[in-house]
Each structure stands twice: as structure tokens, then as C-alpha cells.
Amino acid sequence: MASDDFLYGVAIVSSVAVGLLFRKVKGEEVRRILSTCLGLILLISLCGPHSLHLVITVIGNCWILSSPQLRHSKQFHVASFIWNFGYLVVFRTVHLLGIPAPSPITNAAQLFLTLRMIGLACDVYDSCMLKESVKPAGEQVQDEELEKKQLQLKYTFTDPSIKEIVCFSFCYLGTLTGPFFKFHVYRDWLRQTNFDSIPLQQPLIAKTKHLPAIAATFLVTSYFFSIKYVETDEYNENPFWFRLFYMVPMFLIFRTRLYTAWLLSECMCITAGFGAYPTVSVPKCGSGPTDFKKLEQAHQEMGLEYDFETIHNIDIYGCELAPTTKQGLRSWNMTVQYWLATYVHRRVPPALKAYRVSITMTVSAFWHGIHPGYYLSFLTVPPILMAEEAMIAAFRKDASPTQQEIFDWGCWFFKMRGFDYNCMGFLLLKFSSTLNYWRSIYFAGHVVTALFLLIGTLGKMLKPRRSKTE
């Protein structure tokens, strides 16, 4: 029987090829039904009876968004968050009730459906709030901020029917790999009429040119190294330097595998012309256009330049070469990062503002799974960010260009080692397995983080303060 990885790869590559068909399909309704049918065929073929979990999730969201009581109380976005993350608990524990555990492919589909559904509910809520703050149509606009809101309402207003929710939920784009996108981006694609103006060859080459090297690196490295080796008695007999080194190829395998999936997911959108907007509208990943005035003007112009920044999900150069952990995180799985920032981090109540990062990391860990390794890794990130900020304030700020360059290279080295260290929790998953590995290298990541936090804090305290005249 074919492995999940093989089926997963075939599905993604096939979806990239199918995208070319959608550039030729005419009509919003035809494109909506066809993309939904394709998504359902894909899910039923790969997930089998487990796809029932996805159907239950969508039914629950349809009820929440159509409930008069929840609409009146304006708490439907909170209800959607509770429903989707609550169902993730059921989804991950059905095996305890004697029901077969969902396959890894179904798990991937469930994760991205969760993002779509919560994002949709929050966007409907935001649209309702925005509509209430804007004057009725026909009134003279005198305020620039009001004009901006009216244009935003025109292009992003979200309040879909049940049929539209179902079609959006099962659209084949991004079903298994992401990227996350908003409902209005999906709607714009359905209504797109000028696919001939949207580039294909150049952005596709830009995304695929790295794939051969990435795939080769993954195949070679995974041939020589395996995460299973870490839990063998033979591994523990190796010297400390080898045990410390082993996390480096493990993270290399981990990220090259994901790079391949994410690049192909972007290619899937590019071939379908999905997420393409005029460059002048300043599209941002996950959200779409941000300059609605320029977008309004662009509809009246010819020969526009388009880009696919809306579905930009991975910045490999940023992941590999960014000097800080914060920059590296922002370059990784970017549309999911956008989702976490928009629907979790920014919505944390003011009373819990000091804990925003920890809350966001906890939600991210729970979204990934209930394995303790995720939590051990994600909750190690906030101390790393604190230590990094302390060191930057103490030794990089106000330093000479040469000193800053040296600092940046050192910071980059330790950033990558931090990712290596935390990656082991993602791969080993179990509490005991993760702690056993970290113990085998004497919790080096935690120790170095604590030392940097201490050194950085003392460095800031002892650093001479510059006068206001300086």
C-alpha cells in the first residue's frame, strides 16, 4: 500500500497541474462548484470515512454563523473558536472510544479547516463592527479615515450564506498544505475575469527553482539520519558532541520536507491564478490588499503588475539567514503566523497583554497537536525571545557597524541552534522522549538561553546611558 507521504505528494502535485484548468473556467458559480467538488473528491479519496470529521466541523460552523442568538450577542466568533478547538480535542481522542484514529492526511486537512473556520467567523464579526462604524451609503464623505473604511467594507465585507461557507470550506486550494487565506480572497478569485493578465511562468519558476536542491537535501539527509535512532540504546553510547550535533540534521530534514510542501502549495495557487492582486494595492500574506484606494484605482487601469504576496507562505532566505529568532519565525509558515497574530495575539484581552506571546504559543502548540513535545518546544520560545532582546539591547544597540555585523552572525548561529533544539520536541512528540534527548545534551538550549538572558540583563543595567543631547 502506498505511504501517506506518497499519496500526499501525488495530491499536491496533481493540484498544481489542475490549477491550470481554473484559469480557463468561466463564471463565478461554475468555478465555485468545480473547486468544491474537486476538494471533496480529494478529501474523500485520501481521508476515506475520516472525512466525516471535516463535515461535522463545517456543520457546526454553519450553525454558529447562522444562529440568531449568537448573531445578536455578537459572540459567534468566540463560539466558533471554542467549537473548532473543542472539536480538535474530540478529533484527537476518538481512538480512546474505540473509533479508529484519523490518518495523518486527515489531521492536516482538519488543521487547515480549523484555521479557515475561525478566521471566517472573526472576519464576519469584524465586518459587522466595521459596517456599524461607517455612515450609510449616499452620505458625503468628508473624512479620509471614513473613506478608507468604506473602501475596506466594499472589498472585504464578509457575511457568506451557508452554501458559500460550505464551498469555501471544501475548496481544494490550501486544503492539505495551506496557505491560509480569507474568505474575500477566495471570493475575489471566483469573480476574477482577467486571468490572461495574471502572470504564470515567471512566479512559477521563482517558486520551483529551489525545489530540486531542497528535495535532494531532504533525500540525502534522511537516508543517513533518522529520529528513531535517538531512542535507541546505541545512540546513548555516542559521545556528547555527536548527541549535540544530531539535532542539526534532524531539523534540516524537518524543514526541507516542509519547504517542499509549502512551495508546492504556493505553486498550486499560482497556476490557478489564486491570490493575485495588483502590486500597487500592497498585498500582504494571508490578508490580501491593504491599500484599498489604490485597488479601487487599479480597476480602471490597464497593464497592471500583479503579484502573489497574498499566498506567500514561506521565505526560505528569511528562515535560513535571518539573524534573529523573531525574524526567522516570521519567515516560517507565514500565513499561519498571520492567522496567529490576527486572530489570537491581537485579540488577547488587555488584562492579559503581558502574556500575549505565551498564550499565542500555547494556542499554536494546541493547534499542532496534543503531544507534550509541542508544548515543551513552543513554551521554550518566549524565554529565547526575551534573551535575544536582552542581548540586542545590551550589545548591539549603539554598537559600531562592524560590531553589529559580528553580533548578527553570532545571533544567527544561536538562532539556528535554538530551532534545532526545539525541533526535537516536534519530532519526538512524547514528554519522556523529548526530555531524554534534552537531558542527553544536558539541556544545552535551556542553559544557554538562561545565560544569555542573565548576561543581556546585566549588560543593559551596566551599559552607560546616553544623554538626551547625544
Side-chain angles (χ1 to χ4, degrees):
M1 181 174 291
S3 68
D4 284 335
D5 280 348
F6 176 77
L7 294 174
Y8 199 66
V10 170
I12 296 172
V13 173
S14 300
S15 297
V16 173
V18 167
L20 297 171
L21 169 67
F22 281 91
R23 285 183 174 247
K24 300 177 180 179
V25 173
K26 306 294 183 183
E28 176 182 350
E29 188 63 18
V30 176
R31 199 174 291 146
R32 176 188 288 112
I33 298 301
L34 188 59
S35 61
T36 304
C37 290
L38 182 60
L40 286 170
I41 291 170
L42 194 66
L43 291 170
I44 293 171
S45 300
L46 295 174
C47 305
H50 299 303
S51 55
L52 182 62
H53 290 291
L54 307 173
V55 174
I56 293 171
T57 302
V58 174
I59 291 173
N61 279 281
C62 287
W63 179 84
I64 288 169
L65 288 176
S66 61
S67 168
Q69 293 84 0
L70 290 173
R71 282 280 189 163
H72 179 71
S73 65
K74 291 185 172 63
Q75 293 300 313
F76 52 85
H77 61 306
V78 177
S80 178
F81 192 95
I82 294 171
W83 162 251
N84 284 280
F85 274 93
Y87 194 78
L88 275 181
V89 176
V90 176
F91 177 81
R92 289 162 175 162
T93 56
V94 290
H95 63 281
L96 299 177
L97 302 175
I99 300 172
S103 65
I105 294 179
T106 311
N107 181 65
Q110 185 72 37
L111 291 182
F112 284 105
L113 181 61
T114 297
L115 298 188
R116 277 194 201 184
M117 293 296 93
I118 295 175
L120 175 61
C122 289
D123 288 342
V124 172
Y125 171 81
D126 291 343
S127 292
C128 292
M129 295 297 101
L130 182 62
K131 190 175 183 179
E132 289 181 5
S133 69
V134 175
K135 292 181 180 180
E139 291 192 16
Q140 186 175 0
V141 177
Q142 296 179 345
D143 184 75
E144 186 177 338
E145 186 64 27
L146 183 58
E147 182 183 11
K148 182 179 178 181
K149 285 184 177 181
Q150 288 181 330
L151 285 172
Q152 184 179 353
L153 194 62
K154 176 181 177 180
Y155 287 106
T156 68
F157 182 74
T158 301
D159 194 6
S161 65
I162 290 179
K163 175 186 175 182
E164 289 174 321
I165 294 172
V166 172
C167 291
F168 173 63
S169 303
F170 295 116
C171 175
Y172 82 98
L173 290 162
T175 297
L176 300 174
T177 58
F180 165 78
F181 49 82
K182 289 173 172 277
F183 178 82
H184 72 83
V185 174
Y186 162 75
R187 182 181 60 209
D188 291 345
W189 174 66
L190 295 179
R191 297 175 178 175
Q192 184 65 263
T193 58
N194 60 332
F195 282 112
D196 292 338
S197 303
I198 296 174
L200 171 63
Q201 185 175 350
Q202 186 175 351
L204 200 59
I205 291 174
K207 293 299 177 186
T208 56
K209 65 182 180 181
H210 300 297
L211 277 175
I214 292 170
T217 301
F218 168 76
L219 291 172
V220 171
T221 311
S222 58
Y223 179 81
F224 290 102
F225 299 93
S226 170
I227 191 63
K228 293 180 181 178
Y229 182 63
V230 174
E231 301 188 82
T232 63
D233 294 333
E234 182 184 348
Y235 165 80
N236 292 317
E237 296 173 0
N238 288 295
F240 170 74
W241 68 265
F242 181 85
R243 300 197 301 270
L244 185 66
F245 161 79
Y246 206 83
M247 64 184 181
V248 177
M250 284 295 95
F251 182 49
L252 184 60
I253 294 169
F254 179 76
R255 67 185 189 271
T256 50
R257 183 173 181 267
L258 290 176
Y259 286 168
T260 302
W262 289 334
L263 286 173
L264 286 173
S265 72
E266 290 188 43
C267 291
M268 182 194 312
C269 294
I270 290 170
T271 57
F274 186 92
Y277 287 99
T279 305
V280 294
S281 65
V282 195
K284 298 290 180 65
C285 79
S287 65
T290 57
D291 191 330
F292 299 105
K293 193 170 184 178
K294 290 287 182 64
L295 182 63
E296 177 86 349
Q297 296 169 353
H299 289 306
Q300 303 170 8
E301 299 177 12
M302 301 293 290
L304 290 168
E305 180 182 347
Y306 286 82
D307 67 38
F308 288 92
E309 193 61 31
T310 299
I311 50 88
H312 188 189
N313 201 32
I314 180 68
D315 178 1
I316 294 177
Y317 291 108
C319 289
E320 298 292 331
L321 299 176
T324 67
T325 301
K326 183 179 291 187
Q327 291 171 318
L329 287 173
R330 287 175 177 172
S331 302
W332 175 272
N333 206 358
M334 293 162 62
T335 58
V336 173
Q337 295 288 337
Y338 168 82
W339 186 94
L340 288 167
T342 303
Y343 302 114
V344 181
H345 188 271
R346 294 172 192 165
R347 295 173 193 262
V348 171
L352 300 174
K353 184 178 179 180
Y355 306 100
R356 278 181 177 175
V357 173
S358 296
I359 291 172
T360 304
M361 288 297 173
T362 302
V363 170
S364 181
F366 185 80
W367 177 74
H368 280 84
I370 57 176
H371 298 289
Y374 293 141
Y375 297 88
L376 290 171
S377 295
F378 273 114
L379 294 178
T380 305
V381 174
I384 289 176
L385 293 174
M386 291 169 60
E388 193 173 74
E389 289 175 2
M391 291 292 289
I392 290 171
F395 300 106
R396 191 185 190 281
K397 188 178 180 181
D398 302 325
S400 68
T402 301
Q403 290 172 329
Q404 288 182 349
E405 185 174 356
I406 294 172
F407 180 93
D408 287 345
W409 278 110
C411 192
W412 167 82
F413 176 82
F414 285 105
K415 176 210 77 173
M416 295 303 294
R417 304 296 73 79
F419 284 148
D420 295 337
Y421 188 77
N422 284 324
C423 175
M424 298 303 287
F426 267 74
L427 296 174
L428 292 168
L429 299 177
K430 295 179 181 177
F431 184 84
S432 58
S433 300
T434 304
L435 288 186
N436 284 339
Y437 174 75
W438 283 351
R439 188 182 294 113
S440 76
I441 57 173
Y442 307 107
F443 293 94
H446 290 85
V447 171
V448 171
T449 298
L451 284 174
F452 281 155
L453 184 58
L454 177 63
I455 293 169
T457 303
L458 291 174
K460 284 193 297 181
M461 294 171 59
L462 299 174
K463 189 175 183 179
R465 293 187 178 181
R466 299 180 67 182
S467 65
K468 292 184 178 179
T469 55
E470 292 179 308

